[in-house]
């Protein structure tokens, strides 16, 4: 039985601080924990200002909208789940829709559109990748595909990759032209940074 209570979280800092974001159902997406979010934004702090952020597998868009609130100038969201997209668009409408772009569809298929978009903008981006954890049905190959997706990026389009993943997963030191510069563990979740 689906439980219909709306799950929410608030934007923590910046110009949209306190805005309530709706979260899609737990069956379709998994929201980033507050401590993970806080650590990420403490790590990149002022670098986020006037930057472009790509949130791959964005769900509710909480990472991208927090980045927008903290001064990022453009957010590109990537999501394929219909319910999540509805929630994402509702959340965007509370902030600055003109600074947001939603790329609908399978992230592995639409990534080439996003690369083209970054090329056209002449920008390199912070790319936050939070794939569905592999213990969910049908997600066993998700990390292999995610590593291929990261390796496919030219250096010119990426300032930093941030991968949110299961702590039990050992990611390679190097993915394509990117090297791991830092990893931080929060219980079952780890953030790995590649540049």
């Amino acid at each position: 039985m689906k439980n219909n209570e709306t799950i929410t979280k608030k934007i923590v800092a910046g110009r949209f601080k306190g805005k309530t974001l709706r979260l899609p159902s737990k069956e379709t997406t998994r929201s980033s924990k507050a401590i993970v979010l806080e650590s990420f934004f403490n790590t990149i702090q002022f670098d986020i200002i006037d930057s472009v952020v790509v949130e791959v597998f964005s769900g509710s868009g909480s990472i991208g909208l927090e980045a927008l609130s903290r001064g990022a100038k453009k957010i590109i969201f990537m999501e394929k789940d219909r319910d999540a997209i509805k929630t994402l668009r509702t959340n965007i409408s509370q902030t600055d829709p003109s600074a947001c772009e939603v790329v609908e569809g399978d992230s592995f298929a639409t990534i080439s559109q996003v690369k083209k978009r970054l090329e056209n903008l002449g920008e390199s981006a912070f790319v936050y990748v939070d794939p569905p954890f592999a213990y969910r049905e049908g997600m066993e190959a998700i990390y292999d595909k995610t590593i291929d997706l990261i390796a496919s990026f030219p250096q010119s389009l990426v300032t930093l990759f941030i991968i949110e993943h299961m702590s039990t997963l050992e990611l390679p030191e190097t993915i394509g032209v990117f090297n791991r510069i830092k990893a931080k563990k929060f219980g079952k979740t780890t953030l790995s940074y590649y540049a």
Side-chain angles (χ1 to χ4, degrees):
M1 190 181 104
K2 267 197 176 175
N3 120 18
N4 282 333
E5 81 176 274
T6 310
I7 344 170
T8 60
K9 76 193 296 183
K10 288 196 184 305
I11 291 180
V12 178
R15 65 184 172 133
F16 303 116
K17 181 181 178 177
K19 292 266 187 207
T20 301
L21 303 178
R22 289 182 50 211
L23 303 179
S25 89
K26 282 220 170 77
E27 280 119 57
T28 51
T29 68
R30 172 187 53 73
S31 177
S32 299
K33 293 204 296 275
I35 188 170
V36 176
L37 203 79
E38 188 185 341
S39 170
F40 166 59
F41 284 106
N42 285 345
T43 298
I44 61 167
Q45 275 193 345
F46 305 112
D47 299 335
I48 202 81
I49 295 166
D50 284 333
S51 69
V52 175
V53 175
V54 177
E55 188 179 2
V56 190
F57 313 106
S58 55
S60 65
S62 61
I63 301 279
L65 293 172
E66 185 72 44
L68 183 66
S69 184
R70 292 173 187 241
K73 67 178 174 190
K74 176 147 195 76
I75 315 293
I76 300 172
F77 298 97
M78 301 178 71
E79 180 54 60
K80 79 170 182 181
D81 181 81
R82 287 236 168 88
D83 291 338
I85 289 167
K86 268 191 212 145
T87 304
L88 172 61
R89 290 194 182 280
T90 302
N91 290 340
I92 287 171
S93 70
Q94 297 192 71
T95 60
D96 179 2
S98 66
C100 300
E101 200 174 316
V102 179
V103 177
E104 295 185 24
D106 184 325
S107 296
F108 299 114
T110 57
I111 197 70
S112 53
Q113 288 175 39
V114 171
K115 287 187 215 164
K116 213 163 228 95
R117 193 77 193 87
L118 292 172
E119 277 165 18
N120 293 342
L121 288 167
E123 296 277 357
S124 75
F126 286 90
V127 183
Y128 196 98
V129 188
D130 180 12
F133 279 5
Y135 52 71
R136 296 217 334 237
E137 181 102 13
M139 295 296 172
E140 295 76 13
I142 193 103
Y143 286 117
D144 292 339
K145 289 165 81 175
T146 299
I147 287 168
D148 291 345
L149 179 148
I150 292 167
S152 77
F153 264 83
Q155 203 172 338
S156 59
L157 298 182
V158 180
T159 304
L160 189 67
F161 270 110
I162 307 91
I163 308 162
E164 186 176 328
H165 61 91
M166 300 185 298
S167 294
T168 52
L169 178 79
E170 198 45 61
L171 286 175
E173 283 294 321
T174 302
I175 301 176
V177 295
F178 305 99
N179 298 309
R180 183 166 54 208
I181 52 169
K182 175 180 173 171
K184 198 149 191 221
K185 190 175 168 183
F186 310 88
K188 291 178 180 165
T189 303
T190 293
L191 280 185
S192 292
Y193 296 81
Y194 286 80

